[in-house]
Amino acid sequence: MDTMRDMQISPDHPLLLRIVDDIATRGWSQQNIFLPERLTRELAAECRKRAAEGELTPAGVGRGTGQEVREGIRGDHIQWLEPGQAEPCDAYLNLMDSLRQALNRGLFLGLEEFESHFALYPPGAFYLKHLDRFRDDDARTVSAVLYLNDAWLPEHGGQLRMYLEGETSYDVQPTGGCLVVFLSGDMPHEVLPATRERLSLTGWFRRRSGELF
């Protein structure tokens, strides 16, 4: 796993194949130790640096001209990642491209790209139950959330609550280095309020709109 810091790993890496198997069998995967601790710390520091410089802005709901900030629905502040901005971000994007290739090889999803943004939830902020796929655009196919929080305890709150089949729910603790991956159009979920600042990288593997898989 230490090689993830400096290079793009093979799509045949056992960790990536485990994620593919999970998606195939149940539609979601949780890997509690996905990134090396050093890279997780560097990504968290980059997120806080951008926040301190005023680069993170309140996230909106909807898309296009219909997008608006509605803190009663979601309260995170975000900034999108672009290649070449920072070395830790590039390392993460390279790793996720390996996961994209693994998902395509194992599940034939036709994923063409990965988009991702930093998400900072101030204490008390939340995101109500929703799906990640837009009603009029099916490009977002697989969601991926990487947590960047150091020494997170259950009493801090901020869990990702996923609503599974059979009217059951499952809570993911947003512990640093943990990755959650799920099918964007099939997994209703919400972010519960936390008592401390909550950091993550939230992203989506996208295919060409209108394609079936």
Side-chain angles (χ1 to χ4, degrees):
M1 291 296 294
D2 290 340
T3 58
M4 287 184 179
R5 175 64 181 82
D6 300 311
M7 61 182 292
Q8 184 173 1
I9 67 170
S10 168
D12 295 324
H13 191 286
L15 177 59
L16 303 186
L17 296 180
R18 187 157 62 243
I19 293 172
V20 173
D21 288 342
D22 286 345
I23 296 294
T25 56
R26 63 183 185 181
W28 64 280
S29 180
Q30 176 182 346
Q31 303 301 322
N32 290 326
I33 304 176
F34 184 72
L35 284 191
E37 185 177 348
R38 179 181 174 185
L39 180 54
T40 302
R41 290 197 308 267
E42 291 176 346
L43 288 167
E46 181 68 19
C47 182
R48 291 194 175 94
K49 171 179 173 289
R50 297 184 186 200
E53 294 173 351
E55 296 180 6
L56 272 64
T57 58
V61 296
R63 72 186 188 97
T65 58
Q67 190 176 79
E68 59 180 333
V69 175
R70 299 179 62 184
E71 292 185 358
I73 296 177
R74 65 181 297 186
D76 54 327
H77 294 67
I78 68 171
Q79 187 190 46
W80 293 93
L81 269 61
E82 299 291 343
Q85 291 177 326
E87 182 180 346
C89 297
D90 285 349
Y92 177 66
L93 291 174
N94 286 338
L95 174 57
M96 298 311 279
D97 193 63
S98 293
L99 178 54
R100 180 188 64 83
Q101 294 177 54
L103 289 166
N104 280 342
R105 290 183 183 183
L107 304 177
F108 307 102
L109 295 179
L111 305 174
E112 296 186 347
E113 62 181 357
F114 178 71
E115 60 179 9
S116 183
H117 62 63
F118 282 116
L120 186 154
Y121 285 80
F126 54 87
Y127 194 161
L128 295 181
K129 184 178 178 181
H130 64 283
L131 285 173
D132 280 351
R133 179 177 288 177
F134 298 112
R135 293 180 181 179
D136 60 347
D137 185 351
D138 62 356
R140 287 181 175 178
T141 305
V142 179
S143 302
V145 185
L146 175 75
Y147 296 108
L148 305 175
N149 306 295
D150 181 51
W152 196 272
L153 300 175
E155 52 265 36
H156 293 147
Q159 293 84 358
L160 173 71
R161 177 163 292 171
M162 300 190 298
Y163 292 89
L164 311 178
E165 293 183 0
E167 299 184 356
T168 61
S169 63
Y170 176 79
D171 288 353
V172 178
Q173 302 295 330
T175 306
C178 174
L179 178 76
V180 182
V181 182
F182 54 87
L183 295 174
S184 302
D186 297 343
M187 183 66 70
H189 58 284
E190 65 177 313
V191 176
L192 302 181
T195 60
R196 53 174 282 198
E197 192 174 72
R198 178 188 187 275
L199 309 179
S200 66
L201 275 166
T202 301
W204 300 271
F205 294 97
R206 294 170 53 92
R207 59 191 172 118
R208 189 172 301 170
S209 296
E211 292 185 355
L212 299 176
F213 63 92

